[in-house]
Amino acid sequence: VAERAQREAEDALQIRNDFLSSISHDLKTPLTVMRGTIQLLQRRLKQGDMSALLDRLKVLEVSINKMQGMIEDILTIAQLKAGQHLDLDIRPLNLFPLITRIVEEQQEITHRHHLHLSTYSRDLPVQGDAIRLDRVITNLLTNAIKYSPDGGSITLDITDEEESNQHWIVMRFQDQGIGIPEADQPFLFRPFYRASNARGHIPGTGVGLASAAQVVREHGGTISLSSQQGQGSCILVRLPVNGKSEERGDV
Ligand SMILES: Nc1ncnc2c1ncn2[C@@H]1O[C@H](COP(=O)(O)OP(=O)(O)OP(=O)(O)O)[C@@H](O)[C@H]1O
Ligand SMILES: [Mg+2]
C-alpha cells in the first residue's frame, strides 16, 4: 500500500511538472508575439508609416484571445478541482450565430482544412453562458484542426433529438485526423491528460477538453467521444433545448 501511495505521489508530481512546463511555454508564446508586434508598431509609427497598423493590431488581438482562452480554461479546471460549481451567466441564447462566427474564424486560420457546418435549423435555443459555450465550441474545433496535421475535412453537424422527456441539440465534431488510441479514450476528459499519440508530438496542455466537459455538464448537457486511431475522431456534445428542466430530478 505504501509503495502504491508513493507511486501515485510520484505520478502526481510528474503530471504537475509536465503541466507547469507546458503551461508556462503556452502562456509565454503569445506574450512574446505581443511584445514583438508592439515594438514593430512603435518603430513604424515613429517613422510615420501607418500601412501595417490594422494587420498588426489583428495579430495582437489574436494573441490576446489565445491567452485569455487559456487562462479561462485553467480557471475552469481549478474550480472543477476545488469541487465548485461554475459561475455561469445563463441567458436565453441562439447558438446558430455563435457557431457560424466561430466556424468562419477558425476557417480563416487554416487553409489546409475544410470546415463544413450543417444544421437542422437556424434556430438553436439554449439557456446558456455565451462566453463559456463559445470557448467549448472553439476548443473542440481547434482540437479537430490541431490533431489533423495533414489537413482534411472537419464537419460540425447539428441535429436534434428527443430523449428522456427532453429535447436536445446535438453537435457532432468530426475530423479525419490522428485519432485517439483506445487505451487513452477513457481518460481524455481528465484535466492535463494527453493521449500517447499527442504527447511529445503535438503541443498542448490538456486543459481544453476537461474544461469543455465541465462547462457542458454545468449546462445540463453531456459530452462523449468515439475515435479510431489513424482514422479520425468524433466528439459529441448534447445540450438541452431551452435549458435543463429542474423538475425532472436530473441525472
Ligand atoms: N480531435 C482530436 N483528435 C485526436 N486527439 C484529440 C482530439 N481532441 C483531443 N484529443 C486528445 O485529447 C487530449 C486532450 O485534449 P485537450 O484539448 O484537453 O488538450 P490539448 O489539446 O492537449 O491542449 P489544450 O489545453 O491547449 O487544448 C489531447 O492532448 C489529445 O491527445
Ligand atoms: Mg486542445
Side-chain angles (χ1 to χ4, degrees):
V1 177
E3 245 173 57
R4 211 181 85 196
Q6 176 165 3
R7 212 172 39 239
E8 278 172 7
E10 279 166 4
D11 284 352
L13 206 64
Q14 182 65 42
I15 289 176
R16 201 196 62 177
N17 289 344
D18 289 352
F19 166 67
L20 285 177
S21 68
S22 81
I23 202 83
S24 49
H25 175 265
D26 286 350
L27 287 175
K28 278 178 185 162
T29 308
L31 276 183
T32 309
V33 175
M34 286 185 232
R35 187 171 296 116
T37 307
I38 287 171
Q39 284 164 353
L40 186 98
L41 275 178
Q42 285 168 332
R43 276 202 305 276
R44 291 277 176 87
L45 285 176
K46 270 184 204 148
Q47 295 158 359
D49 174 5
M50 307 282 186
S51 59
L53 203 64
L54 271 181
D55 278 356
R56 292 292 156 174
L57 284 176
K58 185 78 203 161
V59 172
L60 272 181
E61 196 182 12
V62 169
S63 283
I64 289 171
N65 289 345
K66 224 181 211 166
M67 216 161 162
Q68 185 181 342
M70 237 181 287
I71 291 169
E72 275 162 16
D73 285 344
I74 294 166
L75 292 178
T76 302
I77 285 194
Q79 280 187 307
L80 171 72
K81 291 230 144 183
Q84 289 171 356
H85 281 287
L86 293 179
D87 229 344
L88 296 178
D89 182 15
I90 300 283
R91 292 159 200 259
L93 176 70
N94 180 8
L95 284 179
F96 182 73
L98 188 111
I99 291 172
T100 31
R101 178 178 47 74
I102 300 171
V103 169
E104 280 166 15
E105 272 168 16
Q106 293 298 320
Q107 183 63 79
E108 269 178 37
I109 298 171
T110 174
H111 298 295
R112 300 192 306 131
H113 303 82
H114 293 284
L115 275 56
H116 304 280
L117 171 64
S118 76
T119 179
Y120 73 97
S121 166
R122 289 170 170 248
D123 183 28
L124 305 172
V126 296
Q127 293 285 328
D129 183 322
I131 293 176
R132 301 284 198 161
L133 291 175
D134 181 319
R135 185 71 193 147
V136 169
I137 296 160
T138 304
N139 263 334
L140 295 176
L141 278 179
T142 51
N143 275 350
I145 293 170
K146 178 161 79 161
Y147 297 107
S148 305
D150 297 332
S153 90
I154 291 166
T155 56
L156 172 47
D157 203 7
I158 303 172
T159 54
D160 66 338
E161 178 180 298
E162 212 53 67
E163 205 217 89
S164 341
N165 278 334
Q166 171 76 55
H167 192 184
W168 302 87
I169 291 172
V170 185
M171 296 185 267
R172 299 174 90 253
F173 297 79
Q174 177 82 54
D175 65 56
Q176 303 174 316
I178 62 172
I180 301 158
E182 219 176 310
D184 291 312
Q185 290 180 17
F187 309 111
L188 277 203
F189 294 109
R190 287 190 189 170
F192 315 127
Y193 193 90
R194 306 198 67 221
S196 51
N197 59 342
R199 254 180 277 145
H201 301 288
I202 298 174
T205 313
V207 293
L209 269 188
S211 130
Q214 165 89 334
V215 171
V216 168
R217 289 184 193 126
E218 296 263 318
H219 279 82
T222 68
I223 184 165
S224 60
L225 64 85
S226 59
S227 175
Q228 283 255 305
Q229 188 172 4
Q231 310 270 306
S233 308
C234 175
I235 315 290
L236 199 81
V237 172
R238 302 194 316 154
L239 290 171
V241 172
N242 289 321
K244 53 179 165 184
S245 44
E246 306 291 352
E247 67 277 13
R248 229 168 358 104
D250 245 347
V251 272

